[in-house]
């Protein structure tokens, strides 16, 4: 059999389940997940290796109207992939009407030559009648080649989505080793795990103004222990107080849950220190964005 390979970008509004879908397709958690919008900030490649096929998935930041330079960079990163890939998977949720955000993406997609698959997510919580209505709404767009209902969190129909994607891929080489599941460095994944725990534990207004910068990751020479030192940046003194918590309880809770997941990732004991610093308006500072890896 011929070998197929290609690049597939997953796009959609913030918080429609793009990262959850990719984790499901890959078969393990690589991308951080949160019920808060704009969790993904970088264009992240993950790799699916199947029999006679390799798919490089690009998880992109949710396309939204940006409010700062970080938001502008996130949206630019998402849009840049559309003409560079072999297949686009446009993920929408169970909304009964096409909102402004999805209409904006549809307007972009109608000028793109790449095949577009529409994945209607969260079908596990809607009726068949509601699904049919959503299906009919999007079927009017002729540039959408396929429409499928899925549940990214439960895995419903994700195997069928994978089959549709593979059918549209060209013959090609194996771009990455067969046992590789992401091209992101270990440092990036560690910092993302810490940021995920911040997202899970903090109030609504705090997470968008948070970034994590790893100062160092070092393995001790005499023991099977990895030392991690990281700085959490936030924009306000009041946010710093929330992150630290009363008597340091919140930062300890975040550190504990992050350390446990990082230990499973690295297969080693981890000693981690977290620091919290205020950098006002860092999301509009191009030098800081570049140093944190959000801007090339």
């Amino acid at each position: 059999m011929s070998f197929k390979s290609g690049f597939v970008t997953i796009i959609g509004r913030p918080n429609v389940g793009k990262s959850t879908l990719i984790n499901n397709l890959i078969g393990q958690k690589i991308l951080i997940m949160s019920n808060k919008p704009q969790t993904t900030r970088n264009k992240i490649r993950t790799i699916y290796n199947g029999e006679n096929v390799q798919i490089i998935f690009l998880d992109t930041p949710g396309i939204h109207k940006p409010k700062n330079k970080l938001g502008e960079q996130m949206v630019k990163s998402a849009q840049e992939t559309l003409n560079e890939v072999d297949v686009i998977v446009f993920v929408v949720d169970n909304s009964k009407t096409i909102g402004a955000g999805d209409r904006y993406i549809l307007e972009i997609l109608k000028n793109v030559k790449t095949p577009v698959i529409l994945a209607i997510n969260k079908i596990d919580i809607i009726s068949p009648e509601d699904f049919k209505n959503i299906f009919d709404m999007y079927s009017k767009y002729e540039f959408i080649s396929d429409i499928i209902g899925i549940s990214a969190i439960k895995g419903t129909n994700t195997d069928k989505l994978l089959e549709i994607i593979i059918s549209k891929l060209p013959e090609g080489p194996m771009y990455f080793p067969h046992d590789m599941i992401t091209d992101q460095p270990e440092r990036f994944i560690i910092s993302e795990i810490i940021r995920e725990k911040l997202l899970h534990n903090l109030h609504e207004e705090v997470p968008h103004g948070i970034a994590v910068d790893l100062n160092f990751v070092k393995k001790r020479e005499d023991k099977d222990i990895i030392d991690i030192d990281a700085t959490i940046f936030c924009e306000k003194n009041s946010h710093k107080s929330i992150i630290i918590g009363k008597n340091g309880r919140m930062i300890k809770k975040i550190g504990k849950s992050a350390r446990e997941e990082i230990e499973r990732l690295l297969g080693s004991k981890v000693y981690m220190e977290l620091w919290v610093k205020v950098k006002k308006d860092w999301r509009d500072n191009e030098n800081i964005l570049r140093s944190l890896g959000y801007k090339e």
Side-chain angles (χ1 to χ4, degrees), residues 25-26 44 83 100 122 127 138 182 216 218 278:
L25 293 171
I26 296 298
I44 303 167
N83 287 304
K122 306 180 183 179
S127 67
Y138 285 101
T182 181
F216 62 78
K218 294 179 181 176
V278 176

Side-chain angles (χ1 to χ4, degrees), residues 18-31:
K18 300 184 296 297
S19 296
T20 305
L21 173 59
I22 290 183
N23 285 336
N24 185 291
L25 293 171
I26 296 298
Q28 67 185 89
K29 180 184 170 186
I30 297 296
L31 307 172

Side-chain angles (χ1 to χ4, degrees), residues 202-245:
L202 297 175
H203 297 298
E204 195 68 36
E205 74 277 9
V206 180
H208 298 305
I210 285 175
V212 177
D213 189 26
L214 283 192
N215 303 318
F216 62 78
V217 178
K218 294 179 181 176
K219 190 177 188 309
R220 295 188 192 178
E221 293 182 3
D222 56 336
K223 293 180 181 178
D224 185 21
I225 295 175
I226 295 173
D227 291 304
I228 296 174
D229 192 277
T231 300
I232 299 163
F233 292 114
C234 59
E235 293 183 313
K236 299 178 181 179
N237 285 315
S238 59
H239 290 178
K240 179 178 179 179
S241 299
I242 293 169
I243 295 166
I244 294 172

Side-chain angles (χ1 to χ4, degrees), residues 29 67 87 134 157 287:
K29 180 184 170 186
K67 297 179 181 179
V87 180
I134 298 169
N157 286 345
N287 289 331

Side-chain angles (χ1 to χ4, degrees), residues 28-46:
Q28 67 185 89
K29 180 184 170 186
I30 297 296
L31 307 172
I32 71 171
M33 298 178 292
S34 166
N35 59 2
K36 298 178 175 67
Q38 299 169 38
T39 299
T40 300
R41 288 177 174 171
N42 303 71
K43 189 165 59 180
I44 303 167
R45 293 182 183 88
T46 55

